[in-house]
Amino acid sequence: MLIEDLQIVLKVAEFRSITAAATSLDMRTATASAAVKRVEQALGAELFVRTTRQLRLSSAGEKYLPQCEQALQMLEQARQNIRGDLDLVEGQLRLAVSSDLGRNRVMPWLDSFTDQYPALTLRIHISDSTVDFYRDAVDMALRYGSPNDASLYGFKICDVPGVLCASPGYLESRGVPSHPHDLASHNGLFYQLHDIPHDVWTFTRGEAQFKVKMQGNRTANDGDLVRRWCVAGKGVAVKSCLDMADDLLAGRVVNVLPEYRPRSTELWLICPSRQSITPAMRLLRDDLQARCRDILHQLRTRHLLPAES
């Protein structure tokens, strides 16, 4: 029984379709179908129940395929361990990353990382939508916020303070607020997720908390677009300091009300399971942690972020 055939069978089980699995694997449907038949013949049992409208796992398939998947993961981990021992970092990194963080911050880092390990290839999925590791065909996701699914495994990269930003030109024309309540007269730039705009902003100062229901004329489901509007002087925005780091350091935007802190978050590198982690992923984790530490240090050294509490 060939490992390649087992991998095709697992993909068929994932998609509940031989045609969809073949498309995902970039092969002919007939090739995938033949692989399924070879595995079933070798086992002496049918793994799938086929009808005219759907394909589902048989009772034998429900018992066999989870163990088969675990066995293949162990084989892959063993192969990667040997490669790691030989200091060979290769393979494909399939990474999902959000729009603003991915385009403007992480992609230059990934270019440098793959220059260091030329045997690696990149497959990038850029979207602000929630990642589905099976639907989106990715091995890991770099996301703000800690994983809330107990079945996932992740590495925390860093804490990420939020910043209230505006361009110098906007502040010159509209005035500099001195308190969060002053923001009611300013134009908010909103990020929208699942058709819900994030237009209620919360700030803290010591033990005190302030909530402001903002008004604004621009909303987008793309964080990169919100950043561009902010730099262009269209209003004020609450953003991750990593997303805005270059603009803050270059003076294109200002950290407004720095003594009142917007919501903070965390940056995590998330994987579907511990077994899916490869030496390349661990190296990428270390690289991302080092680069984020450097960016946060630059912002604090320039007094663009408050000192760590």
Side-chain angles (χ1 to χ4, degrees), residues 81-148:
N81 289 341
I82 290 174
R83 293 291 185 184
D85 291 341
L86 296 174
D87 292 325
L88 294 175
V89 180
E90 62 178 19
Q92 187 178 71
L93 289 176
R94 303 189 304 175
L95 175 67
V97 64
S98 56
S99 63
D100 201 358
L101 182 70
R103 291 190 185 100
N104 302 303
R105 172 60 54 204
V106 175
M107 282 313 304
W109 293 350
L110 290 176
D111 288 339
S112 176
F113 185 76
T114 51
D115 286 344
Q116 187 177 358
Y117 302 104
L120 285 174
T121 59
L122 285 178
R123 183 173 176 179
I124 304 300
H125 177 89
I126 289 188
S127 172
D128 285 334
S129 300
T130 303
V131 174
D132 183 318
F133 281 101
Y134 300 102
R135 179 197 66 201
D136 299 325
V138 297
D139 302 314
M140 52 187 167
L142 189 64
R143 279 291 186 261
Y144 289 122
S146 58
N148 54 14

Side-chain angles (χ1 to χ4, degrees), residues 66-242:
Q67 297 179 49
C68 175
E69 183 175 17
Q70 290 177 4
L72 289 181
Q73 287 176 344
M74 290 176 65
L75 286 172
E76 176 61 19
Q77 187 64 51
R79 188 185 74 84
Q80 291 289 348
N81 289 341
I82 290 174
R83 293 291 185 184
D85 291 341
L86 296 174
D87 292 325
L88 294 175
V89 180
E90 62 178 19
Q92 187 178 71
L93 289 176
R94 303 189 304 175
L95 175 67
V97 64
S98 56
S99 63
D100 201 358
L101 182 70
R103 291 190 185 100
N104 302 303
R105 172 60 54 204
V106 175
M107 282 313 304
W109 293 350
L110 290 176
D111 288 339
S112 176
F113 185 76
T114 51
D115 286 344
Q116 187 177 358
Y117 302 104
L120 285 174
T121 59
L122 285 178
R123 183 173 176 179
I124 304 300
H125 177 89
I126 289 188
S127 172
D128 285 334
S129 300
T130 303
V131 174
D132 183 318
F133 281 101
Y134 300 102
R135 179 197 66 201
D136 299 325
V138 297
D139 302 314
M140 52 187 167
L142 189 64
R143 279 291 186 261
Y144 289 122
S146 58
N148 54 14
D149 186 338
S151 67
L152 300 178
Y153 188 80
F155 300 107
K156 182 179 174 180
I157 303 301
C158 66
D159 292 313
V160 185
V163 287
L164 175 67
C165 291
S167 72
Y170 173 86
L171 295 173
E172 184 177 350
S173 64
R174 298 290 295 268
V176 180
S178 58
H179 189 279
H181 292 158
D182 296 339
L183 293 172
S185 63
H186 284 262
N187 189 54
L189 306 172
F190 305 128
Y191 173 68
Q192 174 177 295
L193 184 63
H194 304 310
D195 296 326
I196 300 173
H198 292 186
D199 56 2
V200 177
W201 294 350
T202 302
F203 301 86
T204 57
R205 184 176 186 180
E207 299 297 320
Q209 187 177 90
F210 308 88
K211 282 191 176 182
V212 182
K213 178 66 166 69
M214 294 292 297
Q215 302 296 320
N217 62 5
R218 284 173 168 80
T219 303
N221 66 347
D222 186 311
D224 184 31
L225 183 53
V226 176
R227 183 189 64 81
R228 291 172 184 266
W229 283 336
C230 185
V231 173
K234 304 302 181 183
V236 292
V238 172
K239 291 280 291 175
S240 149
C241 68
L242 291 180

